[in-house]
Amino acid sequence: MSYELTIEPLGQTIAVEDDQTILDAALRAGIWLPHACCHGLCATCKVQVVDGEVEHGEASSFALMDFERDEGKALACCARLQSDAVIEAEIEDEPDAESIPVRDFHGTVSRIEDLTPTIKGVFVTLDEAIHFQAGQYINLDINGGECSRAFSLANPPSTGREVELNIRLVPGGQGTSWVHQQLRPGDRVKLSGPYGRFFVRKSAPQGLLFMAGGSGLSSPRAMILDLLAAGDSRPITLVYGQRSRAELYYHDEFLALAALHPNFSYLPALSEEGEGGEGGGAVFRGYVHEAARAHFDGDFRGHKAYLCGPPPMIDACITTLMQGRLFEGDIHVEKFFSAADVQQVRSPLFKRI
């Protein structure tokens, strides 16, 4: 059984299966709704139910309070229709965004590489190529579908049917433990995508500043490789941080790209090791936001910033960027949420960061 859902202000009507969330139905129809955690915790996907009945599912009572439910609010990532319905959502017009319907894909693990002591590069050859914008992510089914986990695509769209995922082992994490301990080349896997609103605003004239930490390098790497392959001539800067040199993966690749492309600058930063280190190239001692502040002398005007990494790093970078006169419209963030992030509070001053 399915219901009809009309999404305003777009005026588009889509079919929603009775066991399907509003968000999943919209994304699979190629309609982007604002969202972040997909666990009913962050309230980014809050919509107004204008007409019809919904079941709220696992929406957190903090993200969706009782009085909001009484007023007809719902979280699209959890809500399921109980009748035909009409909702209103805050959908920003993004001229550089592609409307790509989310689909299911199957593939074979072609190889697994140890990128660092804690990060594996998982390469999957899909049965058919996935179309996506550099910076987007997929959901990978874990252990035959027990659950799914989100991982950014580390390869540019031009690589064809083989996709790359950089997966850091999270102690006690069900999904990453399975990848690191059980997944093998030759295994068949299922994934869905593409997801996310993290992509380069190619029509904007500003220079590009990428700030990444840990396995958060995945999306910026895909975006940078895509830009350089297309011959983009704007200044492009990558500031990438890790704790130690052993964790600083794709270091040599970025040094080579910086030598080849005069408009690309690479600034590695280590929070627990000093300058220099094996592998060549000067390494900043400190955190990502500190390295960026030093390089730009505290003035980030004239840039578009793209941030991807752990929440503490992103928060520190946002503060530093704003102190350097860069504000919400020019700061774009990819931050994944989990159930452990339920206590995390997002600033009510900002809609997108």
Side-chain angles (χ1 to χ4, degrees), residues 90-164:
E90 293 188 20
I91 303 175
E92 295 182 8
D93 182 35
E94 288 276 10
D96 293 300
E98 293 186 42
S99 296
I100 307 174
V102 167
R103 295 177 51 205
D104 295 324
F105 295 86
H106 294 82
T108 301
V109 178
S110 50
R111 53 197 167 104
I112 299 176
E113 298 180 359
D114 290 327
L115 298 177
T116 80
T118 62
I119 299 174
K120 288 187 180 292
V122 178
F123 297 80
V124 179
T125 299
L126 301 175
D127 295 346
E128 59 176 313
I130 179 174
H131 176 57
F132 66 98
Q133 287 187 272
Q136 291 189 292
Y137 67 92
I138 55 89
N139 280 337
L140 176 69
D141 275 13
I142 302 299
N143 198 19
E146 285 185 4
C147 60
S148 66
R149 293 292 184 268
F151 300 109
S152 295
L153 291 158
N155 58 287
S158 59
T159 53
R161 292 192 296 122
E162 187 178 68
V163 298
E164 177 184 352

Side-chain angles (χ1 to χ4, degrees), residues 42-98:
C42 72
T44 305
C45 65
K46 193 175 294 181
V47 297
Q48 178 69 48
V49 181
V50 178
D51 187 42
E53 299 295 327
V54 303
E55 196 273 317
H56 292 288
E58 298 179 356
S60 162
S61 59
F62 296 98
L64 187 68
M65 298 184 181
D66 289 341
F67 78 88
E68 292 179 303
R69 300 173 194 233
D70 293 340
E71 292 174 351
K73 299 287 196 305
L75 300 186
C77 73
C78 296
R80 291 172 169 79
L81 298 188
Q82 303 294 297
S83 69
D84 293 343
V86 178
I87 64 169
E88 286 184 351
E90 293 188 20
I91 303 175
E92 295 182 8
D93 182 35
E94 288 276 10
D96 293 300
E98 293 186 42

Side-chain angles (χ1 to χ4, degrees), residues 283-298:
V283 178
F284 181 88
R285 178 171 183 169
Y287 294 100
V288 170
H289 65 285
E290 296 170 334
R293 182 192 294 123
H295 180 76
F296 288 97
D297 197 23

Side-chain angles (χ1 to χ4, degrees), residues 111 113 115 121-123 132-136 152-159 162-166 198 200 210-229 236-240 249-254 257 264 266 306-308:
R111 53 197 167 104
E113 298 180 359
L115 298 177
V122 178
F123 297 80
F132 66 98
Q133 287 187 272
Q136 291 189 292
S152 295
L153 291 158
N155 58 287
S158 59
T159 53
E162 187 178 68
V163 298
E164 177 184 352
L165 311 175
N166 299 162
F198 194 55
V200 174
F210 296 92
M211 305 172 77
S215 59
L217 180 64
S218 301
S219 290
R221 177 176 183 262
M223 298 157 97
I224 291 168
L225 292 177
D226 188 47
L227 288 166
L228 294 178
I236 302 170
T237 304
L238 169 64
V239 187
Y240 174 51
Y249 72 105
Y250 284 131
H251 178 68
D252 292 338
E253 176 185 71
F254 287 118
L257 288 172
F264 174 60
Y266 168 51
Y306 298 87
L307 283 53
C308 192

